[in-house]
Coordinates of all heavy atoms in Angstrom, one line a residue:
G700 N -5.9 -3.4 -4.6 CA -5.6 -3.5 -6.1 C -6.7 -2.8 -6.9 O -6.3 -2.1 -7.9
I701 N -7.9 -2.9 -6.5 CA -9.0 -2.2 -7.3 C -8.9 -0.7 -7.1 O -9.0 0.1 -8.0 CB -10.4 -2.7 -6.8 CG1 -10.6 -4.2 -7.3 CG2 -11.5 -1.8 -7.3 CD1 -11.7 -4.9 -6.6
S702 N -8.6 -0.2 -5.9 CA -8.4 1.2 -5.6 C -7.2 1.8 -6.4 O -7.3 2.9 -6.9 CB -8.3 1.5 -4.1 OG -7.1 1.0 -3.6
F703 N -6.2 1.0 -6.6 CA -5.0 1.4 -7.4 C -5.4 1.6 -8.8 O -5.0 2.6 -9.5 CB -3.9 0.4 -7.3 CG -2.7 0.7 -8.0 CD1 -1.8 1.6 -7.5 CD2 -2.4 0.2 -9.3 CE1 -0.6 2.0 -8.2 CE2 -1.2 0.5 -9.9 CZ -0.4 1.4 -9.4
I704 N -6.3 0.7 -9.4 CA -6.7 0.9 -10.7 C -7.6 2.2 -10.8 O -7.5 2.9 -11.8 CB -7.5 -0.3 -11.2 CG1 -6.6 -1.5 -11.4 CG2 -8.2 -0.1 -12.5 CD1 -7.2 -2.8 -11.7
F705 N -8.5 2.4 -9.8 CA -9.3 3.6 -9.9 C -8.6 4.9 -9.8 O -9.1 5.9 -10.1 CB -10.4 3.5 -8.7 CG -11.5 2.5 -9.0 CD1 -12.3 2.0 -8.0 CD2 -11.8 2.2 -10.3 CE1 -13.3 1.1 -8.3 CE2 -12.9 1.3 -10.6 CZ -13.6 0.8 -9.6
L706 N -7.3 4.8 -9.3 CA -6.5 6.1 -9.2 C -6.3 6.6 -10.7 O -6.3 7.8 -10.9 CB -5.2 5.8 -8.6 CG -5.1 5.8 -7.1 CD1 -3.7 5.4 -6.6 CD2 -5.4 7.2 -6.5
F707 N -6.2 5.7 -11.6 CA -5.9 6.0 -13.0 C -7.1 6.0 -13.9 O -7.0 6.5 -15.0 CB -4.8 5.1 -13.5 CG -3.5 5.2 -12.7 CD1 -3.2 4.2 -11.8 CD2 -2.6 6.3 -12.9 CE1 -2.0 4.3 -11.1 CE2 -1.5 6.4 -12.2 CZ -1.2 5.4 -11.3
Y708 N -8.1 5.3 -13.5 CA -9.3 5.2 -14.3 C -10.6 5.5 -13.5 O -11.3 4.7 -13.0 CB -9.5 3.8 -14.8 CG -8.4 3.5 -15.9 CD1 -7.2 3.0 -15.6 CD2 -8.7 3.9 -17.2 CE1 -6.2 2.8 -16.5 CE2 -7.7 3.7 -18.2 CZ -6.5 3.1 -17.8 OH -5.6 3.0 -18.8
P709 N -10.9 6.8 -13.3 CA -12.1 7.2 -12.5 C -13.3 6.8 -13.3 O -13.4 6.7 -14.5 CB -12.0 8.7 -12.5 CG -10.9 9.1 -13.5 CD -10.1 7.9 -13.8
L710 N -14.3 6.5 -12.5 CA -15.6 6.0 -13.0 C -16.4 7.2 -13.6 O -17.4 7.0 -14.3 CB -16.4 5.3 -12.0 CG -15.8 4.0 -11.5 CD1 -16.7 3.3 -10.4 CD2 -15.6 3.0 -12.6
T711 N -16.0 8.4 -13.2 CA -16.7 9.6 -13.7 C -15.7 10.7 -14.0 O -14.6 10.7 -13.4 CB -17.7 10.1 -12.6 OG1 -18.4 11.3 -13.1 CG2 -17.1 10.4 -11.3
N712 N -16.0 11.6 -14.9 CA -15.1 12.7 -15.2 C -15.6 14.0 -14.5 O -14.9 15.0 -14.6 CB -15.1 13.0 -16.7 CG -14.3 11.9 -17.4 OD1 -13.4 11.3 -16.8 ND2 -14.6 11.7 -18.7
N713 N -16.7 13.9 -13.7 CA -17.2 15.0 -12.9 C -16.4 15.0 -11.6 O -16.2 14.0 -10.9 CB -18.6 14.9 -12.6 CG -19.5 14.9 -13.9 OD1 -19.0 15.5 -14.9 ND2 -20.6 14.2 -13.9
N714 N -15.9 16.2 -11.2 CA -15.3 16.4 -9.9 C -14.1 15.4 -9.7 O -14.0 14.7 -8.8 CB -16.2 16.3 -8.8 CG -15.8 17.1 -7.6 OD1 -14.6 17.6 -7.5 ND2 -16.6 17.2 -6.6
L715 N -13.1 15.5 -10.6 CA -12.0 14.6 -10.6 C -11.1 14.8 -9.3 O -10.5 13.9 -8.8 CB -11.1 14.8 -11.8 CG -11.7 14.2 -13.1 CD1 -10.8 14.5 -14.3 CD2 -11.9 12.7 -13.0
A716 N -11.1 16.1 -8.8 CA -10.3 16.3 -7.6 C -10.9 15.5 -6.4 O -10.2 14.9 -5.6 CB -10.3 17.8 -7.2
C717 N -12.2 15.5 -6.3 CA -12.9 14.7 -5.3 C -12.6 13.2 -5.5 O -12.3 12.4 -4.5 CB -14.4 14.9 -5.2 SG -15.3 14.1 -3.9
W718 N -12.7 12.7 -6.7 CA -12.4 11.3 -7.1 C -10.9 11.0 -6.7 O -10.7 9.9 -6.1 CB -12.6 11.1 -8.6 CG -12.3 9.7 -8.9 CD1 -11.1 9.2 -9.4 CD2 -13.2 8.6 -8.8 NE1 -11.2 7.8 -9.6 CE2 -12.5 7.4 -9.2 CE3 -14.5 8.4 -8.4 CZ2 -13.1 6.2 -9.2 CZ3 -15.1 7.2 -8.4 CH2 -14.4 6.1 -8.8
L719 N -10.0 11.9 -7.0 CA -8.6 11.6 -6.7 C -8.4 11.5 -5.2 O -7.7 10.6 -4.7 CB -7.7 12.7 -7.3 CG -6.2 12.6 -7.0 CD1 -5.7 11.3 -7.7 CD2 -5.5 13.8 -7.6
F720 N -9.0 12.5 -4.4 CA -8.9 12.4 -3.0 C -9.4 11.1 -2.4 O -8.8 10.5 -1.6 CB -9.7 13.6 -2.4 CG -9.7 13.6 -0.9 CD1 -8.6 14.0 -0.1 CD2 -10.8 13.1 -0.2 CE1 -8.6 14.0 1.2 CE2 -10.9 13.1 1.2 CZ -9.8 13.5 1.9
I721 N -10.6 10.7 -2.8 CA -11.2 9.5 -2.3 C -10.4 8.3 -2.7 O -10.1 7.4 -1.9 CB -12.7 9.3 -2.8 CG1 -13.6 10.4 -2.1 CG2 -13.2 8.0 -2.5 CD1 -14.9 10.5 -2.7
S722 N -10.0 8.2 -3.9 CA -9.1 7.1 -4.4 C -7.8 7.0 -3.7 O -7.4 5.9 -3.3 CB -8.9 7.2 -5.9 OG -10.1 7.1 -6.6
L723 N -7.2 8.2 -3.5 CA -5.9 8.2 -2.7 C -6.1 7.8 -1.3 O -5.3 7.0 -0.7 CB -5.3 9.6 -2.8 CG -4.5 9.9 -4.1 CD1 -4.1 11.4 -4.1 CD2 -3.3 9.0 -4.3
F724 N -7.2 8.3 -0.7 CA -7.5 7.9 0.7 C -7.7 6.4 0.9 O -7.1 5.8 1.8 CB -8.7 8.7 1.2 CG -9.1 8.4 2.7 CD1 -8.4 9.0 3.7 CD2 -10.0 7.4 3.0 CE1 -8.7 8.7 5.0 CE2 -10.3 7.1 4.3 CZ -9.6 7.8 5.3
I725 N -8.5 5.8 0.0 CA -8.7 4.4 0.1 C -7.5 3.6 -0.2 O -7.2 2.6 0.5 CB -9.9 4.0 -0.9 CG1 -11.2 4.6 -0.4 CG2 -10.0 2.5 -1.0 CD1 -12.3 4.5 -1.5
T726 N -6.7 4.0 -1.2 CA -5.5 3.3 -1.5 C -4.5 3.4 -0.4 O -3.9 2.4 0.0 CB -4.8 3.9 -2.8 OG1 -5.8 3.8 -3.9 CG2 -3.6 3.2 -3.2
Y727 N -4.2 4.6 0.2 CA -3.3 4.7 1.3 C -3.8 4.0 2.5 O -3.0 3.4 3.3 CB -3.0 6.2 1.6 CG -2.1 6.8 0.7 CD1 -2.4 8.0 0.0 CD2 -0.8 6.4 0.6 CE1 -1.5 8.6 -0.8 CE2 0.1 7.0 -0.3 CZ -0.2 8.1 -1.0 OH 0.7 8.7 -1.8
F728 N -5.1 4.0 2.8 CA -5.7 3.3 3.9 C -5.4 1.8 3.9 O -4.9 1.2 4.8 CB -7.2 3.6 4.1 CG -7.8 2.9 5.2 CD1 -7.7 3.4 6.5 CD2 -8.5 1.7 5.0 CE1 -8.3 2.7 7.6 CE2 -9.1 1.0 6.0 CZ -9.0 1.5 7.3
F729 N -5.8 1.2 2.7 CA -5.6 -0.3 2.6 C -4.1 -0.6 2.5 O -3.7 -1.7 3.0 CB -6.5 -0.8 1.5 CG -7.9 -0.9 1.9 CD1 -8.8 0.0 1.5 CD2 -8.3 -2.0 2.7 CE1 -10.1 -0.1 1.9 CE2 -9.6 -2.1 3.1 CZ -10.6 -1.2 2.7
F730 N -3.3 0.2 1.9 CA -1.9 -0.1 1.8 C -1.3 -0.1 3.2 O -0.6 -1.0 3.6 CB -1.2 1.0 1.0 CG 0.3 0.8 1.0 CD1 0.9 -0.2 0.2 CD2 1.1 1.5 1.8 CE1 2.3 -0.4 0.2 CE2 2.5 1.4 1.8 CZ 3.1 0.4 1.0
S731 N -1.7 0.9 4.0 CA -1.2 1.0 5.4 C -1.7 -0.2 6.2 O -0.9 -0.8 7.0 CB -1.7 2.3 6.1 OG -1.1 3.4 5.4
L732 N -3.0 -0.6 6.1 CA -3.5 -1.7 6.8 C -2.7 -3.0 6.5 O -2.4 -3.8 7.4 CB -5.0 -1.9 6.4 CG -5.8 -3.0 7.1 CD1 -5.9 -2.7 8.6 CD2 -7.1 -3.1 6.4
I733 N -2.5 -3.2 5.2 CA -1.7 -4.4 4.8 C -0.3 -4.3 5.2 O 0.3 -5.3 5.8 CB -1.8 -4.6 3.3 CG1 -3.2 -4.9 2.9 CG2 -0.8 -5.7 2.8 CD1 -3.5 -4.9 1.4

Side-chain angles (χ1 to χ4, degrees):
I701 291 167
S702 69
F703 183 79
I704 292 173
F705 284 158
L706 279 173
F707 300 102
Y708 289 93
L710 296 178
T711 179
N712 287 333
N713 297 333
N714 206 350
L715 286 176
C717 184
W718 180 266
L719 181 63
F720 174 79
I721 292 169
S722 297
L723 282 171
F724 180 83
I725 293 169
T726 301
Y727 280 123
F728 177 81
F729 282 101
F730 175 79
S731 298
L732 183 68
I733 293 167

